[in-house]
């Protein structure tokens, strides 16, 4: 057996990584970001430096993760972000042996790294995690020291360590199939999160501000026709969400998709073409319906204040078809 095949636990390996990357873990402030209604609560929890895990749930593209990232940016706190999948296991979270410069050394995973630094861990799409593998997080979610069996080492969390998870569901799976791949999480796992923050899409005022910020970041002057375009986009998105909530359509326009449209416009230099390409991900019926809806909003024919009438018309059409 060669020496390279023998596991070598390098106690200084993690410290070297920490010393060389400490500045990189504080996220940068994003000029596009507009504070959500839960921003203040997340700030208070992180600022307290108490171990108080947060479960954040809500539809896709409404700023769940960005709120956490920007809260850390505001406070100058280190953040380690993890994107989990069904294949994520204990090695990916806690750590494992890795081959480094010909030697097999132990490398701490992101959870242990955050514990040592007193950093915030943001686990994105936690409902994608295999429930059987979620058990590897039980001890960490209690704020206690984690004993790493493979190397016989106890790691106690530094003050400030906390875990925040985001999900599109509440850990109960997705019955309507919109979030394929999400799992029903163990009740004992979910109980380790003291609070759940429910994120919805932000207000029209905030959403218009977001689009204005995006345009400004792309060096556009937000005035006249361009200002009206961004306001029409928000009005349009609000209508799709209301019709979705009423069960009249199966899709909606998220804040993230509105940003995609603005970015597409900055490249393609055509408003309607940008919208068409950005909603082409929907099936043809919904795509055409959404595009027609936007033309009505932009012409002044339709506003979200009269959406109840639109919903009623849709329901009447469905009844006639049945």
């Amino acid at each position: 057996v060669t020496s390279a095949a023998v596991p070598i636990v390098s106690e200084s390996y993690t410290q070297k990584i920490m010393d060389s990357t400490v500045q990189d873990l504080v996220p940068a402030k994003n000029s596009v970001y507009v504070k959500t209604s839960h921003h203040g609560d997340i700030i208070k929890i992180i600022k307290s430096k108490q171990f108080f895990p947060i479960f954040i749930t809500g539809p896709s593209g409404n700023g769940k993760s960005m709120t956490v990232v920007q809260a850390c940016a505001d406070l100058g706190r280190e953040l380690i972000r993890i994107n989990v999948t069904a294949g994520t296991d204990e090695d990916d979270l806690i750590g494992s042996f890795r081959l480094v410069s010909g030697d097999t050394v132990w490398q701490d995973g992101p959870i242990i790294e955050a514990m040592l630094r007193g950093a915030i861990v943001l686990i994105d799409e936690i409902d994608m995690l295999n429930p059987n593998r979620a058990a590897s997080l039980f001890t960490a979610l209690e704020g206690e020291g984690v004993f790493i069996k493979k190397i016989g080492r106890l790691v106690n969390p530094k003050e400030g360590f906390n875990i925040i998870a985001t999900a599109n569901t509440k850990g109960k799976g997705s019955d309507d199939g919109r979030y394929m791949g999400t799992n029903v999480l163990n009740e004992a796992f979910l109980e380790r999160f003291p609070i759940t923050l429910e994120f919805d899409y932000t207000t029209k005022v905030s959403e218009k501000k977001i689009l204005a910020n995006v345009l400004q970041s792309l060096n556009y002057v937000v005035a006249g026709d361009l200002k009206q375009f961004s306001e029409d986009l928000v009005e349009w998105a609000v209508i799709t969400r209301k019709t979705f909530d009423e069960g009249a359509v199966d899709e909606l326009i998220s804040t993230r998709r509105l940003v995609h449209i603005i970015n597409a416009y900055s490249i393609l230099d055509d408003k309607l073409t940008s919208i068409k390409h950005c909603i082409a991900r929907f099936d043809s019926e919904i795509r055409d319906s959404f595009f027609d809806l936007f033309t009505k909003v932009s012409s002044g024919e339709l506003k979200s204040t009269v959406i109840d009438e639109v919903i009623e018309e849709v329901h009447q059409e469905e009844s006639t078809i049945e």
Side-chain angles (χ1 to χ4, degrees):
V1 180
T2 64
S3 59
V6 179
I8 299 172
V9 179
S10 174
E11 296 181 357
S12 63
Y13 182 67
T14 296
Q15 187 61 48
K16 287 179 181 178
I17 295 176
M18 289 171 63
D19 292 342
S20 63
T21 63
V22 65
Q23 296 300 319
D24 296 336
L25 296 187
V26 177
K29 292 188 178 183
N30 190 324
S31 62
V32 168
Y33 176 68
V34 173
K35 293 179 181 179
T36 65
S37 59
H38 290 303
H39 181 92
D41 293 331
I42 294 173
I43 284 282
K44 289 177 182 177
I45 292 170
I46 294 175
K47 195 174 183 179
S48 74
K49 292 193 174 181
Q50 293 185 44
F51 183 75
F52 199 69
I54 310 170
F55 193 99
I56 300 176
T57 181
S60 178
N62 70 351
K64 298 184 297 295
S65 297
M66 181 175 278
T67 298
V68 178
V69 172
Q70 290 307 299
C72 287
D74 283 350
L75 296 172
R77 291 293 306 278
E78 292 187 324
L79 175 72
I80 295 179
R81 189 170 178 178
I82 308 169
N83 289 289
V84 300
T85 67
T88 300
D89 58 19
E90 184 174 359
D91 286 354
D92 299 316
L93 299 169
I94 304 302
S96 63
F97 288 104
R98 296 282 191 268
L99 188 63
V100 179
S101 301
D103 291 327
T104 304
V105 301
W106 175 263
Q107 182 173 337
D108 291 329
I111 298 296
I112 299 300
E113 195 77 36
M115 292 177 73
L116 291 169
R117 294 175 179 266
I120 304 298
V121 175
L122 173 58
I123 306 178
D124 278 322
E125 316 298 348
I126 201 165
D127 49 359
M128 299 284 286
L129 186 64
N130 186 314
N132 296 322
R133 292 165 178 166
S136 62
L137 291 173
F138 276 19
T139 306
L141 278 168
E142 293 172 355
E144 304 293 336
V146 172
F147 184 75
I148 306 173
K149 301 183 293 292
K150 292 180 180 179
I151 58 175
R153 171 183 163 213
L154 176 65
V155 177
N156 289 305
K158 185 178 177 181
E159 183 186 36
F161 168 68
N162 201 9
I163 297 176
I164 303 176
T166 68
N168 295 129
T169 72
K170 291 186 177 181
K172 304 298 184 182
S174 176
D175 293 334
D176 60 9
R178 282 179 58 80
Y179 301 110
M180 293 293 292
T182 55
N183 296 297
V184 176
L185 297 176
N186 187 295
E187 188 66 20
F189 178 77
L190 294 172
E191 272 295 298
R192 283 168 164 78
F193 291 91
I195 65 171
T196 296
L197 299 181
E198 297 180 288
F199 270 58
D200 201 347
Y201 292 104
T202 190
T203 64
K204 287 199 290 185
V205 172
S206 293
E207 204 158 43
K208 288 175 183 178
K209 178 61 176 174
I210 290 170
L211 296 193
N213 289 348
V214 174
L215 285 165
Q216 289 171 351
S217 72
L218 295 168
N219 298 317
Y220 285 99
V221 175
V222 187
D225 182 55
L226 204 51
K227 182 175 184 292
Q228 187 61 53
F229 177 55
S230 63
E231 292 181 352
D232 288 343
L233 285 174
V234 171
E235 197 78 28
W236 170 58
V238 169
I239 293 175
T240 68
R241 294 167 200 162
K242 287 184 177 179
T243 53
F244 174 84
D245 290 341
E246 289 290 332
V249 292
D250 297 326
E251 301 287 356
L252 52 75
I253 301 297
S254 68
T255 305
R256 180 185 291 136
R257 189 138 302 275
L258 293 181
V259 173
H260 289 335
I261 291 171
I262 294 295
N263 284 322
Y265 169 73
S266 72
I267 298 169
L268 302 174
D269 196 30
D270 187 279
K271 300 181 182 68
L272 296 184
T273 298
S274 300
I275 292 173
K276 285 180 179 178
H277 290 335
C278 287
I279 63 174
R281 63 171 290 267
F282 303 124
D283 65 47
S284 57
E285 184 178 352
I286 291 179
R287 177 201 65 204
D288 294 343
S289 174
F290 278 4
F291 186 77
D292 181 60
L293 184 63
F294 178 80
T295 60
K296 290 180 178 179
V297 170
S298 61
S299 67
E301 182 180 344
L302 184 64
K303 295 292 181 184
S304 62
T305 52
V306 296
I307 187 57
D308 290 339
E309 297 176 15
V310 177
I311 292 172
E312 182 61 30
E313 288 178 6
V314 172
H315 286 325
Q316 288 176 356
E317 289 177 5
E318 289 177 343
S319 299
T320 302
I321 294 173
E322 292 175 358

